[in-house]
Amino acid sequence: MKRLQILIGKIIVKMLHLMKRNAGNLPGIVLWHISRHKAVSMFKVDCPIIAVTGTNGKTSVTNCIAQLFERSGKKIITNREGNNLDTGICSLLLRHCDMKGKVKADYLILETDESHVPVVYSQLKLDTLIVLDFFRDQLDRNGEMETLIQKINGFCKTFNGNLILNGDDPNTARLGRANPGNKNVKYFHAEPYAYATNTVFEASEGRFCPFCGETLVYDYYQYSHIGKFHCPKCGFGNYEPYMTASGIDLDKPVFTAGGHEYSPKLNSIYNVYNMTAVAAAAKLYNIKQDIVDGVISSYTVKNGRMESFMLGDRKTTLNLAKNPVGANMTLRVMNEMKGEKELLFVLNDNVADGLDVSWIWDINFSIFERVTRVVTSGTRAYDIAVRIKCSGYDQSNIVVRPDLDKAVEELAKTPGRKFVIANYTAVQPTRAALKRYISRNGGKTE
Amino acid sequence: MSRIKILHMYADMLDLYGDSGNMEVFSYRCKMRGIECEIDKYSIDSPEPDFSTYDLIYIGGGADLEQQHISADLLKCREGIAKAYKDGVFLFLICGGYQLMGKYYRDADGNDIPGLGLFDYYTVAPNSRRKRCIGNIVIRTNITGKAVDVLGFENHGGQTQGVKTPFGEVLYGNGNCSKSQAEGYTEKNVIATYLHGPCLSKNPEITDYMIEYCLTRQNGEKTALKPLDDKLETDCRKVMLQRLLKK
């Protein structure tokens, strides 16, 4: 039966390839049904599996860890395209297994959706789980954040493998107590950077100790609820970090982790946290220092995460914002930049975005400085326009263009610096619209 | 200059789906009319305020965990809130705030979280945390004296029963219970609803109803509001109502 199922799966992959379709998810969905939801258990994996999960940063950290092993000459299998649900992982393994379902590699490095961690790794033995952060994101799909954390916490209760946790996020650090018998819990941490604050700056969660209910005390906040915290009553948060980032200077940008200085390409505090997680994984697996250097200093992204475009001679930065944290970060970058600028905000509410758009009310637009005009677009163009208006921004400077091509044209009409924020399903169409504008009117992509 | 005093309770704990945005919309619409809007915050362990000195009391929604935290504290305020309500202070309650003003909230594990019992309704969460009423919602209310379609986003497990005077009739979405006809609870000085979004961002008429209520109560005579330029809000509503209500 198992062999038959794998055969069917492989035939589907082949057919999709012949039809020149992406086989990212469909074969897995079919297999998931015929195997009665136990699709992943059909595979035989002998090598160590490293899983990366969390709300923000999964793709970056997964790609970097994959590179660590690749550059060390190992054969790895990884879901680069970000198909991170059980069906996506199943499709990936289908493409890489033999007819008996045996997967041959030195390491599997798998970006895994937060809510799918227990499902997938109750069927596959996990060597290391890396948990980056938990933010409000697509809340309506997952019910409530607490339910989600409980799910992963339940998995961690019986997990004895390596658990690498963001020690500066109470939502992830608490997982370290799920299994008191696990001696392989490791925390990463970052010392304050120039824009760290003493009070919480953006709407956040996790203000109370999950163990005793006491209000958590923060030495500093880096962004949102990420920062050095502890519980004055029960001591939650007092741990010895396994990897610490210090000397963070984002202007250069440069930071030190594990006593070694790195010069990353991306200059955000997010990236420092992501790379600190990567450095922790590198330490755990004894990766050579020159390889770690190479990966961390060269890592950059071209998927709408701080991506540059020239619309004619107008410098434009596009950033994906799936949640208020991401959007607030872009607004800060915008504000720290001198001179006047204009913003295009593209907001969709497709299924993958989570249908609900109320998260835009947790974006702090009142900090706008020298923003001379705002264009809005997407399936919820008017919602974001109303939101920005109610923050006190003059509505005569807001232009609504639900059609993306028209929105980009509107943005490029005036001279000066441009910023574009797009949410999850909006980011690729926005990139495409920017590129169409450039091919018609000149300019260049990064 | 007119002035409206608001007490925003548990703002630091009950703030799901942009609920705090309601206060931003409320003060924006006051400010555009030259009405001063003063918002005081109250949270666990704050000294007990004189609830009756406010024009409006606002409570948002939260997860089960937060609701347990505040229930005990809220009970301490019972007398003060009940008096304010009887005096005619406006109560604007979203989701968790709505549930906690009823008799009790029974959570998914069967534990009863006592409510203030200001109103007769009660709420029971289903045993499975997966069964939730989630999605866009449109209801029709007559609170302003004419039919107004109210747009929002609901996400609640709790099923609220025993409501005699609902806020509106459900045109799209779930309402008080799964696939129910009625949504929320209302009296002339109470709007209690599951609508997030935040609720007021897409429903300027509801915001204005509350502002007008507060000023009329202060002045002892009907006080009309200066109309505002609501083109963006109107277009926003048009797009969503068309999408949700067309069959």
Side-chain angles (χ1 to χ4, degrees):
Chain A
M1 185 60 194
K2 203 173 99 179
R3 279 195 186 200
L4 181 66
Q5 289 175 0
I6 286 172
L7 181 68
I8 293 170
K10 282 205 170 276
I11 290 170
I12 298 168
V13 173
K14 198 86 202 158
M15 277 165 54
L16 287 170
H17 280 164
L18 287 173
M19 290 156 71
K20 296 200 172 13
R21 293 281 181 81
N22 184 337
N25 219 5
L26 184 66
I29 291 175
V30 174
L31 221 59
W32 185 78
H33 282 288
I34 59 178
S35 68
R36 301 175 186 215
H37 311 175
K38 286 275 178 206
V40 182
S41 64
M42 293 191 306
F43 300 99
K44 188 164 158 26
V45 182
D46 293 329
C47 70
I49 302 175
I50 301 167
V52 181
T53 195
T55 312
N56 286 325
K58 289 188 286 285
T59 310
S60 300
V61 171
T62 305
N63 285 341
C64 284
I65 294 177
Q67 281 187 39
L68 290 177
F69 288 105
E70 250 171 351
R71 294 188 188 194
S72 304
K74 304 290 181 196
K75 176 172 167 27
I76 58 143
I77 296 173
T78 183
N79 47 354
R80 258 183 243 282
E81 305 91 15
N83 286 309
N84 62 12
L85 307 182
D86 54 354
T87 47
I89 289 169
C90 181
S91 300
L92 176 82
L93 297 181
L94 252 183
R95 294 202 297 275
H96 289 96
C97 72
D98 64 16
M99 292 311 292
K100 290 178 189 162
K102 192 167 163 53
V103 178
K104 275 200 175 149
D106 296 324
Y107 291 92
L108 254 59
I109 296 125
L110 300 175
E111 172 182 336
T112 310
D113 182 85
E114 303 89 280
S115 59
H116 281 69
V117 167
V119 188
V120 176
Y121 303 109
S122 58
Q123 303 171 55
L124 290 177
K125 187 175 178 296
L126 190 59
D127 195 49
T128 297
L129 176 63
I130 302 174
V131 191
L132 299 171
D133 46 41
F134 289 123
F135 291 104
R136 282 185 193 185
D137 182 25
Q138 306 176 9
L139 261 187
D140 54 330
R141 191 192 56 181
N142 292 318
E144 290 168 1
M145 165 121 71
E146 183 59 24
T147 311
L148 179 70
I149 298 174
Q150 286 296 345
K151 259 189 189 175
I152 300 188
N153 196 62
F155 170 78
C156 290
K157 276 180 183 168
T158 54
F159 179 59
N160 282 301
N162 302 302
L163 193 54
I164 299 182
L165 303 171
N166 183 346
D168 291 348
D169 180 350
N171 291 333
T172 58
R174 63 190 272 197
L175 300 174
R177 285 198 187 179
N179 178 3
N182 187 353
K183 297 280 179 278
N184 304 309
V185 180
K186 298 171 169 65
Y187 301 91
F188 63 93
H189 156 74
E191 289 183 359
Y193 84 121
Y195 292 96
T197 53
N198 291 322
T199 51
V200 65
F201 185 72
E202 290 118 7
S204 67
E205 51 273 325
R207 291 182 187 86
F208 303 98
C209 176
F211 301 105
C212 71
E214 185 73 15
T215 305
L216 294 173
V217 173
Y218 274 78
D219 296 345
Y220 54 88
Y221 293 91
Q222 306 272 36
Y223 65 94
S224 193
H225 68 277
I226 304 296
K228 181 65 199 148
F229 71 90
H230 73 276
C231 172
K233 201 165 148 192
C234 75
F236 168 52
N238 296 326
Y239 56 84
E240 191 61 42
Y242 178 72
M243 184 57 69
T244 298
S246 58
I248 303 164
D249 182 349
L250 295 183
D251 289 334
K252 287 186 177 158
V254 64
F255 72 96
T256 301
H260 196 88
E261 191 174 278
Y262 295 99
S263 307
K265 279 222 161 46
L266 303 172
N267 63 344
S268 71
I269 186 71
Y270 289 150
N271 189 55
V272 171
Y273 271 90
N274 290 342
M275 292 308 124
T276 309
V278 172
K283 181 179 170 185
L284 183 66
Y285 287 95
N286 293 314
I287 306 287
K288 282 190 193 142
Q289 189 57 52
D290 59 321
I291 291 175
V292 188
D293 274 341
V295 170
I296 291 183
S297 62
S298 67
Y299 184 69
T300 184
V301 276
K302 282 198 179 169
N303 51 1
R305 288 168 164 101
M306 283 301 191
E307 191 176 354
S308 297
F309 296 86
M310 293 295 287
L311 301 178
D313 62 353
R314 293 108 163 92
K315 191 164 193 297
T316 306
T317 305
L318 167 67
N319 199 22
L320 162 75
K322 294 189 287 185
N323 48 36
V325 186
N328 278 322
M329 206 66 205
T330 309
L331 293 188
R332 277 210 220 181
V333 172
M334 242 173 91
N335 271 356
E336 286 159 17
M337 203 159 279
K338 292 173 188 72
E340 295 185 340
K341 50 246 166 178
E342 294 185 338
L343 171 69
L344 164 63
F345 201 121
V346 191
L347 181 68
N348 278 352
D349 66 343
N350 295 320
V351 174
D353 297 310
L355 298 173
D356 153 61
V357 295
S358 63
W359 61 274
I360 58 175
W361 288 81
D362 292 330
I363 307 173
N364 190 357
F365 285 102
S366 64
I367 64 163
F368 261 2
E369 274 177 43
R370 301 177 297 275
V371 179
T372 47
R373 206 163 61 112
V374 174
V375 182
T376 69
S377 188
T379 56
R380 290 294 199 114
Y382 287 101
D383 292 73
I384 184 67
V386 168
R387 197 279 164 267
I388 293 172
K389 167 190 166 180
C390 288
S391 73
Y393 190 77
D394 185 353
Q395 64 172 323
S396 61
N397 292 328
I398 303 176
V399 187
V400 184
R401 293 281 180 271
D403 180 88
L404 255 172
D405 286 312
K406 294 205 172 90
V408 172
E409 259 166 51
E410 184 69 44
L411 182 75
K413 220 163 68 176
T414 50
R417 186 74 168 85
K418 318 285 179 184
F419 279 86
V420 184
I421 297 178
N423 74 329
Y424 190 56
T425 68
V427 76
Q428 291 306 337
T430 303
R431 293 179 84 223
L434 290 169
K435 285 179 179 170
R436 277 196 296 274
Y437 179 90
I438 289 166
S439 66
R440 278 195 304 266
N441 303 284
K444 67 173 196 247
T445 51
E446 201 173 50
Chain B
M1 188 155 109
S2 320
R3 183 155 156 261
I4 292 177
K5 265 187 81 181
I6 297 178
L7 183 67
H8 185 181
M9 298 185 74
Y10 311 111
D12 55 339
M13 300 170 75
L14 298 182
D15 178 19
L16 270 186
Y17 301 99
D19 283 345
S20 286
N22 281 326
M23 290 296 99
E24 223 177 313
V25 178
F26 197 99
S27 32
Y28 174 80
R29 297 187 72 79
C30 285
K31 195 177 131 203
M32 296 306 283
R33 296 176 166 114
I35 303 164
E36 197 187 322
C37 184
E38 186 187 319
I39 301 173
D40 287 347
K41 291 198 172 163
Y42 169 88
S43 195
I44 285 186
D45 297 333
S46 302
E48 192 177 326
D50 184 351
F51 293 94
S52 295
T53 60
Y54 291 92
D55 298 296
L56 185 144
I57 296 172
Y58 172 59
I59 310 179
D64 275 5
L65 190 73
E66 270 98 34
Q67 254 162 255
Q68 278 170 14
H69 268 107
I70 65 153
S71 154
D73 186 84
L74 190 62
L75 286 173
K76 287 192 292 193
C77 306
R78 189 183 187 288
E79 234 166 89
I81 295 176
K83 180 174 178 297
Y85 153 69
K86 285 201 186 86
D87 289 350
V89 172
F90 202 99
L91 302 185
F92 181 39
L93 312 162
I94 306 287
C95 195
Y98 167 29
Q99 294 168 343
L100 286 166
M101 288 295 154
K103 287 199 244 174
Y104 58 84
Y105 174 78
R106 183 167 297 157
D107 72 15
D109 302 320
N111 305 313
D112 278 2
I113 302 175
L116 278 202
L118 227 49
F119 311 118
D120 283 341
Y121 57 77
Y122 55 95
T123 306
V124 179
N127 297 330
S128 162
R129 286 184 206 273
R130 282 173 170 272
K131 284 189 194 141
R132 295 182 71 84
C133 303
I134 300 176
N136 289 306
I137 175 167
V138 184
I139 64 169
R140 184 163 290 167
T141 181
N142 284 303
I143 191 169
T144 66
K146 63 180 179 103
V148 177
D149 289 349
V150 184
L151 268 158
F153 186 85
E154 60 178 335
N155 181 352
H156 54 103
Q159 308 284 298
T160 300
Q161 292 151 43
V163 172
K164 292 190 189 79
T165 50
F167 177 38
E169 169 205 353
V170 179
L171 302 185
Y172 181 92
N174 288 289
N176 284 335
C177 301
S178 293
K179 300 191 178 93
S180 60
Q181 322 230 294
E183 203 290 325
Y185 175 85
T186 191
E187 292 180 25
K188 71 176 189 330
N189 63 327
V190 181
I191 292 178
T193 175
Y194 277 115
L195 270 62
H196 299 282
C199 177
L200 299 184
S201 67
K202 272 183 260 311
N203 305 291
E205 283 170 281
I206 301 301
T207 320
D208 288 357
Y209 169 78
M210 289 192 278
I211 298 175
E212 206 170 282
Y213 173 92
C214 293
L215 296 180
T216 299
R217 178 169 165 262
Q218 282 179 8
N219 301 336
E221 57 178 352
K222 173 95 177 136
T223 309
L225 297 179
K226 188 180 94 182
L228 298 179
D229 175 0
D230 287 335
K231 190 175 178 325
L232 288 176
E233 286 86 346
T234 308
D235 288 344
C236 184
R237 287 171 56 80
K238 209 191 286 171
V239 170
M240 284 310 286
L241 287 171
Q242 209 164 20
R243 195 210 285 187
L244 299 175
L245 297 184
K246 72 163 186 229
K247 289 281 179 281

